[in-house]
Amino acid sequence: MPTLLIENIKKLVLTEENPKTKKSGKEMSKLPSKENAWLFLKDGKIANYGTMPDLSNANLRPDKTIDATGKMVLPAFCDSHTHLVYPASREIEYVDKIKGLSYEEIAKRGGGILNSAKKMKQTTVAELVDSALERLEEIKIFGTGAVEIKSGYGLDTEQELKMLYAIRKLKELSPLTIKATFLGAHSIPAEYRGKQEEYVDIVINEMIPVVASEGLAEYIDVFCDKGFFTVEDTERILMAGLKYGLIPKIHANELDFSGGIQVGVKYGALSVDHLEYTGDAEIASLLNSDTMPTILPGAAFFLNMPYAPARKMIDAGLPVAMATDFNPGSSPSGNMQLILSMASILYRLTPEEAVNACTINAAYAMGLSEELGTITVGKKANVIITKEIPTVEYLPYYYGSNKVETVILNGEVV
Ligand code: NIG
Ligand code: FE
């Protein structure tokens, strides 16, 4: 693989010699950087970096050199929560929402996740892969280098497996780093309404064993919220998953104080996600844990829901990650630059906190913080080169347009 030197970098952002796996509280406002810098990539890894006056001492013989005068280099974004494998868009429901129906009302009428599940039955693995590849291309152009993708629009064993086969194929075809999450408990199929324990039995006895034995997922998710799965359902599913080595990452407290955060912490979840309904008890439970609180600004924005108390969480000493939740129902965008802007505009994170939330902390939330999320020698060479921009603050400030010019994944321009 050819070696690559990026030189004359206006600012090399998030240089960490001995990075922690996540940043909490006040640490989130630190964004160590080098001005007038260079970065050397070799064998798909970050091999070295420094400042321009030291470049000749480094004795590098790059196969290729990129001049980054006026531009910044950052770790590529990690998007730790998406549903970007799906059969079809759902813009009609979105119009219903504008007219005043709530997310729960739409779900009760067989819309929402169940609508996607119906369409899933008429979609092949190849079709899922093709449409998801287009979405991966789109998010890559906006600077995402790693993405977690969930099943959850199948809701029976055959259809859930189909989604996971599609994700496995994407891992093979895409230069992005991909992690798969099994989300059989995303919604209760209509025929199990009123007897949802029976559906939970199927998730536990039928789906989890085959997902695990075929090695189709790293993580297991449950939508633990009002109108969806209860804390008891969630406990049963997480216990069954853990027996097979599936680590929990759960949808929690989006619609109510559901107990989802506490049950996630209890079962060692890598992350609990959404968190619109987070109070003092939830914060206290997270403070004694290794679970990454993950906020999904796109979903709250798109559904016009209350915003999670991110500021309060960070001020209490918690880490926070942010991700897109890219999905056809509640967040039809996978643009992490927009998440950076929302993080600062809607949630009052400083630009430094926002960048940490979308890189190192999001990497942690998908089990990748040892290999991604900072500019560190030995980490995977997933970096972005911006267009010419005046400051780091400009990234969230100049919202809506693409400030990324070049994306490098595994040491190669893609
Ligand atoms: O993360 N909250 C639950 N699930 C998804 C919504 C998926 C959908 O509506 O298709 C979410 O927002
Ligand atoms: Fe989600």
Side-chain angles (χ1 to χ4, degrees), residues 81 83 86 90 93 97 103 112-114 116 150 153 183 186 223 225 228 251 254-255 274 296 299 303 325 327-331:
H81 180 138
H83 310 248
Y86 60 79
R90 302 202 323 245
E93 270 170 35
K97 249 169 246 158
Y103 187 71
I113 296 163
L114 297 183
S116 285
K150 300 173 194 295
Y153 292 129
L183 175 54
H186 195 191
F223 188 6
D225 228 321
F228 291 83
H251 280 77
E254 178 186 10
L255 308 171
H274 277 291
L296 310 170
L303 297 177
D325 199 15
N327 77 72
S330 67
S331 187

Side-chain angles (χ1 to χ4, degrees), residues 40 163 254 268 372:
F40 186 57
M163 290 191 75
E254 178 186 10
L372 288 172

Side-chain angles (χ1 to χ4, degrees), residues 349-365:
L349 269 62
T350 63
E352 291 82 3
E353 289 169 331
V355 170
N356 281 313
C358 295
T359 54
I360 183 64
N361 282 0
Y364 180 95

Side-chain angles (χ1 to χ4, degrees), residues 215-226:
L216 290 168
E218 285 88 14
Y219 304 115
I220 185 162
D221 195 344
V222 176
F223 188 6
C224 180
D225 228 321
K226 190 169 89 187

